[in-house]
Amino acid sequence: MTSTNDIRRSFLDYFGSNGHDVVPSAPLVPYNDPTLMFTNAGMVPFKPYFLGESVPPYPRATSVQKCVRTLDIEEVGKTTRHASFFQMCGNFSFGDYFKSGAIPFAWELLTGSQADGNFGFDSERLWVTVLGDDQEAIDIWLKTGVPRERIQSRGFADNYWSMGVPGPGGPCSEIYFDRGPEYGREGGPEADEDRYLEVWNLVFMQDELSTVRSKVDFDIAGSLPKKNIDTGMGLERMAALLQGVDNIYEIDTTKIILDRASALTGVEYGRDEKSDVRLRVIADHARTCAFLIADGVLPSNEGRGYVLRRIMRRVVRNMRILGCLDPAMGELIDASIASMSPQY
Ligand code: GLY
């Protein structure tokens, strides 16, 4: 089995050997950025470089960034792919390469052979999307070897990326893996995003946004000083695909925590969907608590501390509903630490 840690290593090695500085993950509490509650994307620590506010010490970087997103917290455990804590693999160009560099890099790492340290995907099962008629991106994909029928055009809701707040943004091109007919209908990501799972987002970071009202309603104040690249490949999603499991809660690193919750509650995983959802929520949330506390957030009545408190409460509540009335947080945090310490 390809471990999550091996995938992480392969990603950093690939971009490291292609001229990128390997940068450690920044903390979950963004430094000096009042617009954000938590680091929620790989590009967050690099925002000043994109905006031209400071000079990057390297033209290219790569990282695996720990992230917390709580907007979709109600979806955690119910879908195959929602998590409050996740790790985002990224490669970044600060005015160095642009579309014609980013697209072949992603393609080579995805489709190159595992014997050479790549991910070994069958290229025939990969689809890509671009924003509207981004002909430049379409032409590069065609040249890279993706046939026209597996390149789809989508609108701003899907193929424009911003932080959701004023700052850098740009059109993007996404890569999807076809999990097969048992997961949904034919027709590419435009038809079914469960069957066609998004694995990698390549953002052509070129605009400065002054206002962001929604994903499709924002104002572009002008161009960024340079054309940049920001990409995001979800490590847990990639691990689920390469490990052949159905969802991100069953990959090696998360399953350790889920199994501990199962042992503590005496509830077997895989018997009843409702209990499974609770076990997945516990596994996801316990790890989020461990990482937030490690980065200096403590439970409180406001701001980040309140978010942590809510997440902790959801862990405790679900443990109790599953029958564990004893304090269990410490055990679940220990399991999270055991699972994640090889990487952190
Ligand atoms: N910054 C690109 C992404 O998070 O998908």
Side-chain angles (χ1 to χ4, degrees), residues 198-245:
E198 184 207 321
V199 292
W200 204 336
N201 185 14
L202 316 182
V203 185
F204 311 132
M205 200 67 107
Q206 60 185 33
D207 304 324
E208 179 161 359
L209 312 186
S210 54
T211 326
V212 182
R213 286 173 289 272
S214 75
K215 281 191 85 133
V216 292
D217 184 12
F218 50 83
D219 300 316
I220 297 178
S223 298
L224 291 172
K226 291 178 176 169
K227 288 187 189 301
N228 311 283
I229 289 294
D230 153 35
T231 85
M233 187 201 85
L235 179 60
E236 290 79 8
R237 253 186 226 197
M238 185 52 67
L241 290 177
L242 294 179
Q243 292 175 16
V245 295

mmCIF file of all heavy atoms in Angstrom, residues 198-245:
data_model
loop_
_atom_site.group_PDB
_atom_site.id
_atom_site.type_symbol
_atom_site.label_atom_id
_atom_site.label_comp_id
_atom_site.label_asym_id
_atom_site.label_seq_id
_atom_site.Cartn_x
_atom_site.Cartn_y
_atom_site.Cartn_z
ATOM 1 N N GLU A 198 -12.384 15.377 -8.042
ATOM 2 C CA GLU A 198 -11.339 16.390 -8.267
ATOM 3 C C GLU A 198 -10.093 16.007 -7.478
ATOM 4 O O GLU A 198 -10.170 15.751 -6.279
ATOM 5 C CB GLU A 198 -11.835 17.760 -7.802
ATOM 6 C CG GLU A 198 -10.837 18.859 -8.103
ATOM 7 C CD GLU A 198 -10.933 20.034 -7.143
ATOM 8 O OE1 GLU A 198 -12.051 20.416 -6.758
ATOM 9 O OE2 GLU A 198 -9.869 20.544 -6.779
ATOM 10 N N VAL A 199 -8.954 15.966 -8.154
ATOM 11 C CA VAL A 199 -7.729 15.622 -7.437
ATOM 12 C C VAL A 199 -6.733 16.774 -7.359
ATOM 13 O O VAL A 199 -5.880 16.795 -6.473
ATOM 14 C CB VAL A 199 -7.027 14.364 -8.017
ATOM 15 C CG1 VAL A 199 -7.866 13.133 -7.776
ATOM 16 C CG2 VAL A 199 -6.683 14.515 -9.481
ATOM 17 N N TRP A 200 -6.836 17.702 -8.297
ATOM 18 C CA TRP A 200 -5.799 18.737 -8.283
ATOM 19 C C TRP A 200 -6.355 20.003 -8.929
ATOM 20 O O TRP A 200 -7.002 19.933 -9.970
ATOM 21 C CB TRP A 200 -4.578 18.249 -9.086
ATOM 22 C CG TRP A 200 -3.263 18.882 -8.722
ATOM 23 C CD1 TRP A 200 -3.048 20.088 -8.141
ATOM 24 C CD2 TRP A 200 -1.965 18.309 -8.937
ATOM 25 N NE1 TRP A 200 -1.695 20.294 -7.978
ATOM 26 C CE2 TRP A 200 -1.012 19.215 -8.458
ATOM 27 C CE3 TRP A 200 -1.516 17.106 -9.494
ATOM 28 C CZ2 TRP A 200 0.361 18.975 -8.523
ATOM 29 C CZ3 TRP A 200 -0.153 16.866 -9.566
ATOM 30 C CH2 TRP A 200 0.785 17.790 -9.073
ATOM 31 N N ASN A 201 -6.085 21.108 -8.294
ATOM 32 C CA ASN A 201 -6.538 22.397 -8.813
ATOM 33 C C ASN A 201 -5.316 23.252 -9.158
ATOM 34 O O ASN A 201 -4.475 23.500 -8.289
ATOM 35 C CB ASN A 201 -7.393 23.092 -7.737
ATOM 36 C CG ASN A 201 -8.002 24.382 -8.230
ATOM 37 O OD1 ASN A 201 -8.019 24.652 -9.427
ATOM 38 N ND2 ASN A 201 -8.500 25.189 -7.303
ATOM 39 N N LEU A 202 -5.225 23.667 -10.412
ATOM 40 C CA LEU A 202 -4.107 24.528 -10.829
ATOM 41 C C LEU A 202 -4.658 25.942 -10.995
ATOM 42 O O LEU A 202 -5.499 26.179 -11.865
ATOM 43 C CB LEU A 202 -3.508 24.052 -12.161
ATOM 44 C CG LEU A 202 -3.266 22.547 -12.341
ATOM 45 C CD1 LEU A 202 -2.620 22.276 -13.703
ATOM 46 C CD2 LEU A 202 -2.382 21.980 -11.235
ATOM 47 N N VAL A 203 -4.206 26.842 -10.147
ATOM 48 C CA VAL A 203 -4.727 28.217 -10.202
ATOM 49 C C VAL A 203 -3.722 29.104 -10.930
ATOM 50 O O VAL A 203 -2.537 29.132 -10.584
ATOM 51 C CB VAL A 203 -4.981 28.782 -8.789
ATOM 52 C CG1 VAL A 203 -5.628 30.163 -8.878
ATOM 53 C CG2 VAL A 203 -5.863 27.849 -7.974
ATOM 54 N N PHE A 204 -4.229 29.806 -11.930
ATOM 55 C CA PHE A 204 -3.404 30.752 -12.681
ATOM 56 C C PHE A 204 -3.591 32.119 -12.009
ATOM 57 O O PHE A 204 -4.446 32.911 -12.383
ATOM 58 C CB PHE A 204 -3.817 30.762 -14.149
ATOM 59 C CG PHE A 204 -3.911 29.360 -14.737
ATOM 60 C CD1 PHE A 204 -5.020 28.967 -15.478
ATOM 61 C CD2 PHE A 204 -2.897 28.432 -14.527
ATOM 62 C CE1 PHE A 204 -5.116 27.682 -16.001
ATOM 63 C CE2 PHE A 204 -2.976 27.140 -15.049
ATOM 64 C CZ PHE A 204 -4.094 26.772 -15.781
ATOM 65 N N MET A 205 -2.783 32.340 -11.003
ATOM 66 C CA MET A 205 -2.995 33.464 -10.084
ATOM 67 C C MET A 205 -2.522 34.756 -10.746
ATOM 68 O O MET A 205 -1.312 34.992 -10.848
ATOM 69 C CB MET A 205 -2.181 33.151 -8.818
ATOM 70 C CG MET A 205 -2.591 33.878 -7.605
ATOM 71 S SD MET A 205 -4.210 33.361 -7.061
ATOM 72 C CE MET A 205 -3.784 32.407 -5.631
ATOM 73 N N GLN A 206 -3.475 35.546 -11.208
ATOM 74 C CA GLN A 206 -3.113 36.723 -12.001
ATOM 75 C C GLN A 206 -3.870 37.992 -11.618
ATOM 76 O O GLN A 206 -3.497 39.078 -12.019
ATOM 77 C CB GLN A 206 -3.354 36.424 -13.485
ATOM 78 C CG GLN A 206 -4.807 36.079 -13.784
ATOM 79 C CD GLN A 206 -5.049 35.650 -15.224
ATOM 80 O OE1 GLN A 206 -4.194 35.035 -15.839
ATOM 81 N NE2 GLN A 206 -6.215 35.996 -15.763
ATOM 82 N N ASP A 207 -4.952 37.863 -10.826
ATOM 83 C CA ASP A 207 -5.799 39.028 -10.534
ATOM 84 C C ASP A 207 -5.693 39.455 -9.078
ATOM 85 O O ASP A 207 -5.417 38.641 -8.197
ATOM 86 C CB ASP A 207 -7.279 38.685 -10.800
ATOM 87 C CG ASP A 207 -7.523 38.188 -12.211
ATOM 88 O OD1 ASP A 207 -6.859 38.703 -13.134
ATOM 89 O OD2 ASP A 207 -8.363 37.282 -12.381
ATOM 90 N N GLU A 208 -5.959 40.727 -8.847
ATOM 91 C CA GLU A 208 -6.119 41.193 -7.460
ATOM 92 C C GLU A 208 -7.588 41.567 -7.270
ATOM 93 O O GLU A 208 -8.126 42.418 -7.990
ATOM 94 C CB GLU A 208 -5.208 42.391 -7.161
ATOM 95 C CG GLU A 208 -5.414 42.841 -5.737
ATOM 96 C CD GLU A 208 -4.277 43.701 -5.177
ATOM 97 O OE1 GLU A 208 -3.287 43.952 -5.880
ATOM 98 O OE2 GLU A 208 -4.419 44.124 -4.017
ATOM 99 N N LEU A 209 -8.235 40.913 -6.304
ATOM 100 C CA LEU A 209 -9.662 41.153 -6.078
ATOM 101 C C LEU A 209 -9.841 42.173 -4.967
ATOM 102 O O LEU A 209 -9.203 42.082 -3.918
ATOM 103 C CB LEU A 209 -10.373 39.845 -5.701
ATOM 104 C CG LEU A 209 -10.094 38.620 -6.585
ATOM 105 C CD1 LEU A 209 -10.973 37.442 -6.180
ATOM 106 C CD2 LEU A 209 -10.339 38.937 -8.046
ATOM 107 N N SER A 210 -10.732 43.150 -5.210
ATOM 108 C CA SER A 210 -10.962 44.174 -4.186
ATOM 109 C C SER A 210 -12.158 43.830 -3.310
ATOM 110 O O SER A 210 -12.217 44.210 -2.148
ATOM 111 C CB SER A 210 -11.176 45.537 -4.846
ATOM 112 O OG SER A 210 -12.209 45.441 -5.792
ATOM 113 N N THR A 211 -13.130 43.116 -3.893
ATOM 114 C CA THR A 211 -14.320 42.712 -3.138
ATOM 115 C C THR A 211 -14.694 41.303 -3.563
ATOM 116 O O THR A 211 -14.631 40.982 -4.746
ATOM 117 C CB THR A 211 -15.543 43.593 -3.522
ATOM 118 O OG1 THR A 211 -15.080 44.904 -3.794
ATOM 119 C CG2 THR A 211 -16.593 43.606 -2.442
ATOM 120 N N VAL A 212 -15.079 40.489 -2.597
ATOM 121 C CA VAL A 212 -15.584 39.153 -2.945
ATOM 122 C C VAL A 212 -16.918 38.978 -2.239
ATOM 123 O O VAL A 212 -16.982 38.892 -1.017
ATOM 124 C CB VAL A 212 -14.602 38.037 -2.510
ATOM 125 C CG1 VAL A 212 -15.137 36.670 -2.930
ATOM 126 C CG2 VAL A 212 -13.214 38.256 -3.093
ATOM 127 N N ARG A 213 -18.001 38.987 -3.020
ATOM 128 C CA ARG A 213 -19.330 38.807 -2.435
ATOM 129 C C ARG A 213 -19.739 37.342 -2.456
ATOM 130 O O ARG A 213 -20.414 36.858 -1.572
ATOM 131 C CB ARG A 213 -20.352 39.669 -3.182
ATOM 132 C CG ARG A 213 -20.222 41.165 -2.835
ATOM 133 C CD ARG A 213 -21.111 42.029 -3.710
ATOM 134 N NE ARG A 213 -20.615 42.081 -5.076
ATOM 135 C CZ ARG A 213 -19.719 42.956 -5.531
ATOM 136 N NH1 ARG A 213 -19.220 43.886 -4.741
ATOM 137 N NH2 ARG A 213 -19.304 42.916 -6.786
ATOM 138 N N SER A 214 -19.306 36.618 -3.469
ATOM 139 C CA SER A 214 -19.562 35.173 -3.550
ATOM 140 C C SER A 214 -18.572 34.606 -4.567
ATOM 141 O O SER A 214 -17.777 35.354 -5.146
ATOM 142 C CB SER A 214 -20.996 34.895 -3.995
ATOM 143 O OG SER A 214 -21.113 35.153 -5.385
ATOM 144 N N LYS A 215 -18.680 33.310 -4.808
ATOM 145 C CA LYS A 215 -17.752 32.672 -5.748
ATOM 146 C C LYS A 215 -17.875 33.238 -7.163
ATOM 147 O O LYS A 215 -16.932 33.196 -7.947
ATOM 148 C CB LYS A 215 -18.024 31.157 -5.802
ATOM 149 C CG LYS A 215 -17.420 30.405 -4.633
ATOM 150 C CD LYS A 215 -17.474 28.922 -4.859
ATOM 151 C CE LYS A 215 -16.286 28.512 -5.669
ATOM 152 N NZ LYS A 215 -15.540 27.393 -5.241
ATOM 153 N N VAL A 216 -19.072 33.747 -7.464
ATOM 154 C CA VAL A 216 -19.283 34.238 -8.833
ATOM 155 C C VAL A 216 -19.456 35.755 -8.890
ATOM 156 O O VAL A 216 -19.640 36.326 -9.950
ATOM 157 C CB VAL A 216 -20.523 33.563 -9.472
ATOM 158 C CG1 VAL A 216 -20.261 32.100 -9.710
ATOM 159 C CG2 VAL A 216 -21.759 33.758 -8.598
ATOM 160 N N ASP A 217 -19.385 36.383 -7.734
ATOM 161 C CA ASP A 217 -19.651 37.822 -7.691
ATOM 162 C C ASP A 217 -18.515 38.507 -6.935
ATOM 163 O O ASP A 217 -18.470 38.484 -5.706
ATOM 164 C CB ASP A 217 -21.006 38.049 -6.991
ATOM 165 C CG ASP A 217 -21.403 39.518 -6.994
ATOM 166 O OD1 ASP A 217 -20.747 40.304 -7.724
ATOM 167 O OD2 ASP A 217 -22.333 39.881 -6.260
ATOM 168 N N PHE A 218 -17.587 39.058 -7.706
ATOM 169 C CA PHE A 218 -16.431 39.722 -7.092
ATOM 170 C C PHE A 218 -15.922 40.810 -8.038
ATOM 171 O O PHE A 218 -16.288 40.830 -9.218
ATOM 172 C CB PHE A 218 -15.319 38.693 -6.801
ATOM 173 C CG PHE A 218 -14.982 37.805 -7.970
ATOM 174 C CD1 PHE A 218 -14.115 38.234 -8.961
ATOM 175 C CD2 PHE A 218 -15.554 36.540 -8.086
ATOM 176 C CE1 PHE A 218 -13.813 37.421 -10.048
ATOM 177 C CE2 PHE A 218 -15.261 35.729 -9.176
ATOM 178 C CZ PHE A 218 -14.391 36.167 -10.157
ATOM 179 N N ASP A 219 -15.104 41.703 -7.517
ATOM 180 C CA ASP A 219 -14.551 42.772 -8.356
ATOM 181 C C ASP A 219 -13.056 42.565 -8.502
ATOM 182 O O ASP A 219 -12.345 42.363 -7.503
ATOM 183 C CB ASP A 219 -14.805 44.135 -7.700
ATOM 184 C CG ASP A 219 -16.297 44.399 -7.524
ATOM 185 O OD1 ASP A 219 -17.042 44.114 -8.481
ATOM 186 O OD2 ASP A 219 -16.695 44.843 -6.426
ATOM 187 N N ILE A 220 -12.610 42.627 -9.737
ATOM 188 C CA ILE A 220 -11.163 42.539 -9.999
ATOM 189 C C ILE A 220 -10.621 43.958 -10.076
ATOM 190 O O ILE A 220 -11.007 44.742 -10.958
ATOM 191 C CB ILE A 220 -10.895 41.775 -11.318
ATOM 192 C CG1 ILE A 220 -11.405 40.332 -11.186
ATOM 193 C CG2 ILE A 220 -9.400 41.791 -11.661
ATOM 194 C CD1 ILE A 220 -11.247 39.484 -12.444
ATOM 195 N N ALA A 221 -9.749 44.280 -9.114
ATOM 196 C CA ALA A 221 -9.217 45.644 -9.059
ATOM 197 C C ALA A 221 -8.141 45.839 -10.129
ATOM 198 O O ALA A 221 -7.921 46.956 -10.607
ATOM 199 C CB ALA A 221 -8.627 45.912 -7.673
ATOM 200 N N GLY A 222 -7.486 44.777 -10.511
ATOM 201 C CA GLY A 222 -6.425 44.888 -11.515
ATOM 202 C C GLY A 222 -5.613 43.611 -11.550
ATOM 203 O O GLY A 222 -5.986 42.609 -10.938
ATOM 204 N N SER A 223 -4.511 43.680 -12.292
ATOM 205 C CA SER A 223 -3.653 42.498 -12.404
ATOM 206 C C SER A 223 -2.636 42.487 -11.285
ATOM 207 O O SER A 223 -2.187 43.555 -10.830
ATOM 208 C CB SER A 223 -2.900 42.518 -13.735
ATOM 209 O OG SER A 223 -3.812 42.467 -14.785
ATOM 210 N N LEU A 224 -2.241 41.303 -10.860
ATOM 211 C CA LEU A 224 -1.134 41.188 -9.904
ATOM 212 C C LEU A 224 0.146 41.625 -10.615
ATOM 213 O O LEU A 224 0.214 41.592 -11.855
ATOM 214 C CB LEU A 224 -1.008 39.735 -9.436
ATOM 215 C CG LEU A 224 -2.155 39.214 -8.556
ATOM 216 C CD1 LEU A 224 -2.012 37.711 -8.327
ATOM 217 C CD2 LEU A 224 -2.201 39.955 -7.227
ATOM 218 N N PRO A 225 1.170 42.018 -9.845
ATOM 219 C CA PRO A 225 2.396 42.482 -10.506
ATOM 220 C C PRO A 225 2.980 41.438 -11.460
ATOM 221 O O PRO A 225 3.590 41.788 -12.471
ATOM 222 C CB PRO A 225 3.362 42.738 -9.346
ATOM 223 C CG PRO A 225 2.519 42.802 -8.113
ATOM 224 C CD PRO A 225 1.235 42.103 -8.386
ATOM 225 N N LYS A 226 2.786 40.141 -11.131
ATOM 226 C CA LYS A 226 3.317 39.080 -12.003
ATOM 227 C C LYS A 226 2.273 37.996 -12.174
ATOM 228 O O LYS A 226 1.348 37.892 -11.372
ATOM 229 C CB LYS A 226 4.582 38.472 -11.378
ATOM 230 C CG LYS A 226 5.759 39.414 -11.370
ATOM 231 C CD LYS A 226 6.947 38.767 -10.710
ATOM 232 C CE LYS A 226 8.140 39.711 -10.808
ATOM 233 N NZ LYS A 226 9.252 39.271 -9.976
ATOM 234 N N LYS A 227 2.464 37.164 -13.170
ATOM 235 C CA LYS A 227 1.605 35.984 -13.333
ATOM 236 C C LYS A 227 2.206 34.845 -12.530
ATOM 237 O O LYS A 227 3.396 34.525 -12.691
ATOM 238 C CB LYS A 227 1.506 35.602 -14.804
ATOM 239 C CG LYS A 227 0.672 36.560 -15.631
ATOM 240 C CD LYS A 227 0.494 35.992 -17.028
ATOM 241 C CE LYS A 227 -0.137 36.939 -18.009
ATOM 242 N NZ LYS A 227 -1.445 37.433 -17.698
ATOM 243 N N ASN A 228 1.379 34.250 -11.686
ATOM 244 C CA ASN A 228 1.883 33.250 -10.734
ATOM 245 C C ASN A 228 1.123 31.934 -10.874
ATOM 246 O O ASN A 228 0.052 31.887 -11.476
ATOM 247 C CB ASN A 228 1.679 33.749 -9.298
ATOM 248 C CG ASN A 228 2.174 35.162 -9.111
ATOM 249 O OD1 ASN A 228 3.360 35.402 -9.004
ATOM 250 N ND2 ASN A 228 1.251 36.117 -9.092
ATOM 251 N N ILE A 229 1.659 30.924 -10.226
ATOM 252 C CA ILE A 229 0.966 29.629 -10.147
ATOM 253 C C ILE A 229 0.794 29.249 -8.681
ATOM 254 O O ILE A 229 1.711 29.399 -7.871
ATOM 255 C CB ILE A 229 1.761 28.523 -10.887
ATOM 256 C CG1 ILE A 229 1.710 28.724 -12.387
ATOM 257 C CG2 ILE A 229 1.249 27.122 -10.501
ATOM 258 C CD1 ILE A 229 0.337 28.562 -13.039
ATOM 259 N N ASP A 230 -0.418 28.758 -8.385
ATOM 260 C CA ASP A 230 -0.738 28.238 -7.054
ATOM 261 C C ASP A 230 -1.519 26.962 -7.302
ATOM 262 O O ASP A 230 -2.539 26.997 -7.988
ATOM 263 C CB ASP A 230 -1.603 29.276 -6.328
ATOM 264 C CG ASP A 230 -2.525 28.663 -5.283
ATOM 265 O OD1 ASP A 230 -2.129 27.679 -4.638
ATOM 266 O OD2 ASP A 230 -3.654 29.185 -5.119
ATOM 267 N N THR A 231 -1.050 25.845 -6.797
ATOM 268 C CA THR A 231 -1.845 24.629 -7.018
ATOM 269 C C THR A 231 -2.212 23.979 -5.685
ATOM 270 O O THR A 231 -1.534 24.189 -4.674
ATOM 271 C CB THR A 231 -1.121 23.578 -7.895
ATOM 272 O OG1 THR A 231 -0.273 22.760 -7.091
ATOM 273 C CG2 THR A 231 -0.344 24.214 -9.044
ATOM 274 N N GLY A 232 -3.266 23.192 -5.708
ATOM 275 C CA GLY A 232 -3.691 22.486 -4.497
ATOM 276 C C GLY A 232 -4.098 21.052 -4.833
ATOM 277 O O GLY A 232 -5.030 20.836 -5.622
ATOM 278 N N MET A 233 -3.350 20.104 -4.272
ATOM 279 C CA MET A 233 -3.714 18.685 -4.442
ATOM 280 C C MET A 233 -3.968 18.115 -3.045
ATOM 281 O O MET A 233 -3.056 18.064 -2.217
ATOM 282 C CB MET A 233 -2.563 17.938 -5.122
ATOM 283 C CG MET A 233 -2.907 16.506 -5.499
ATOM 284 S SD MET A 233 -1.442 15.476 -5.733
ATOM 285 C CE MET A 233 -1.123 14.979 -4.038
ATOM 286 N N GLY A 234 -5.207 17.742 -2.783
ATOM 287 C CA GLY A 234 -5.555 17.253 -1.445
ATOM 288 C C GLY A 234 -4.850 15.933 -1.158
ATOM 289 O O GLY A 234 -5.057 14.946 -1.871
ATOM 290 N N LEU A 235 -4.022 15.942 -0.114
ATOM 291 C CA LEU A 235 -3.235 14.732 0.188
ATOM 292 C C LEU A 235 -4.141 13.557 0.559
ATOM 293 O O LEU A 235 -3.922 12.425 0.116
ATOM 294 C CB LEU A 235 -2.257 15.040 1.336
ATOM 295 C CG LEU A 235 -1.362 13.894 1.802
ATOM 296 C CD1 LEU A 235 -0.469 13.380 0.673
ATOM 297 C CD2 LEU A 235 -0.486 14.351 2.981
ATOM 298 N N GLU A 236 -5.162 13.809 1.356
ATOM 299 C CA GLU A 236 -6.026 12.716 1.823
ATOM 300 C C GLU A 236 -6.839 12.127 0.676
ATOM 301 O O GLU A 236 -7.031 10.916 0.612
ATOM 302 C CB GLU A 236 -6.945 13.211 2.942
ATOM 303 C CG GLU A 236 -6.228 13.526 4.256
ATOM 304 C CD GLU A 236 -5.523 14.867 4.284
ATOM 305 O OE1 GLU A 236 -5.702 15.669 3.336
ATOM 306 O OE2 GLU A 236 -4.776 15.133 5.252
ATOM 307 N N ARG A 237 -7.302 12.975 -0.227
ATOM 308 C CA ARG A 237 -8.049 12.478 -1.388
ATOM 309 C C ARG A 237 -7.161 11.604 -2.266
ATOM 310 O O ARG A 237 -7.563 10.550 -2.747
ATOM 311 C CB ARG A 237 -8.502 13.654 -2.238
ATOM 312 C CG ARG A 237 -9.946 13.885 -2.121
ATOM 313 C CD ARG A 237 -10.317 14.949 -3.082
ATOM 314 N NE ARG A 237 -11.163 15.885 -2.385
ATOM 315 C CZ ARG A 237 -11.921 16.763 -2.998
ATOM 316 N NH1 ARG A 237 -11.927 16.844 -4.306
ATOM 317 N NH2 ARG A 237 -12.665 17.573 -2.320
ATOM 318 N N MET A 238 -5.940 12.084 -2.477
ATOM 319 C CA MET A 238 -4.991 11.311 -3.283
ATOM 320 C C MET A 238 -4.713 9.968 -2.606
ATOM 321 O O MET A 238 -4.656 8.924 -3.264
ATOM 322 C CB MET A 238 -3.701 12.133 -3.440
ATOM 323 C CG MET A 238 -2.674 11.535 -4.344
ATOM 324 S SD MET A 238 -3.285 11.083 -5.974
ATOM 325 C CE MET A 238 -3.666 12.660 -6.702
ATOM 326 N N ALA A 239 -4.576 9.996 -1.277
ATOM 327 C CA ALA A 239 -4.309 8.759 -0.548
ATOM 328 C C ALA A 239 -5.492 7.792 -0.693
ATOM 329 O O ALA A 239 -5.299 6.586 -0.874
ATOM 330 C CB ALA A 239 -4.034 9.059 0.929
ATOM 331 N N ALA A 240 -6.712 8.312 -0.618
ATOM 332 C CA ALA A 240 -7.887 7.430 -0.755
ATOM 333 C C ALA A 240 -7.847 6.734 -2.116
ATOM 334 O O ALA A 240 -8.100 5.531 -2.217
ATOM 335 C CB ALA A 240 -9.177 8.226 -0.586
ATOM 336 N N LEU A 241 -7.497 7.486 -3.163
ATOM 337 C CA LEU A 241 -7.452 6.871 -4.499
ATOM 338 C C LEU A 241 -6.324 5.852 -4.594
ATOM 339 O O LEU A 241 -6.524 4.735 -5.068
ATOM 340 C CB LEU A 241 -7.266 7.951 -5.577
ATOM 341 C CG LEU A 241 -8.467 8.863 -5.810
ATOM 342 C CD1 LEU A 241 -8.131 9.935 -6.834
ATOM 343 C CD2 LEU A 241 -9.673 8.047 -6.286
ATOM 344 N N LEU A 242 -5.140 6.224 -4.123
ATOM 345 C CA LEU A 242 -3.996 5.320 -4.286
ATOM 346 C C LEU A 242 -4.065 4.127 -3.328
ATOM 347 O O LEU A 242 -3.453 3.097 -3.580
ATOM 348 C CB LEU A 242 -2.673 6.083 -4.115
ATOM 349 C CG LEU A 242 -2.384 7.129 -5.203
ATOM 350 C CD1 LEU A 242 -1.074 7.862 -4.938
ATOM 351 C CD2 LEU A 242 -2.331 6.493 -6.589
ATOM 352 N N GLN A 243 -4.799 4.276 -2.239
ATOM 353 C CA GLN A 243 -4.937 3.153 -1.303
ATOM 354 C C GLN A 243 -6.185 2.319 -1.619
ATOM 355 O O GLN A 243 -6.444 1.316 -0.948
ATOM 356 C CB GLN A 243 -4.968 3.673 0.146
ATOM 357 C CG GLN A 243 -3.628 4.264 0.560
ATOM 358 C CD GLN A 243 -3.623 4.914 1.941
ATOM 359 O OE1 GLN A 243 -4.515 4.705 2.758
ATOM 360 N NE2 GLN A 243 -2.598 5.723 2.194
ATOM 361 N N GLY A 244 -6.985 2.780 -2.590
ATOM 362 C CA GLY A 244 -8.155 2.011 -3.006
ATOM 363 C C GLY A 244 -9.248 1.940 -1.949
ATOM 364 O O GLY A 244 -9.949 0.937 -1.859
ATOM 365 N N VAL A 245 -9.381 2.997 -1.129
ATOM 366 C CA VAL A 245 -10.485 3.026 -0.171
ATOM 367 C C VAL A 245 -11.519 4.048 -0.641
ATOM 368 O O VAL A 245 -11.214 4.919 -1.450
ATOM 369 C CB VAL A 245 -10.007 3.339 1.277
ATOM 370 C CG1 VAL A 245 -9.122 2.224 1.800
ATOM 371 C CG2 VAL A 245 -9.287 4.681 1.361
#
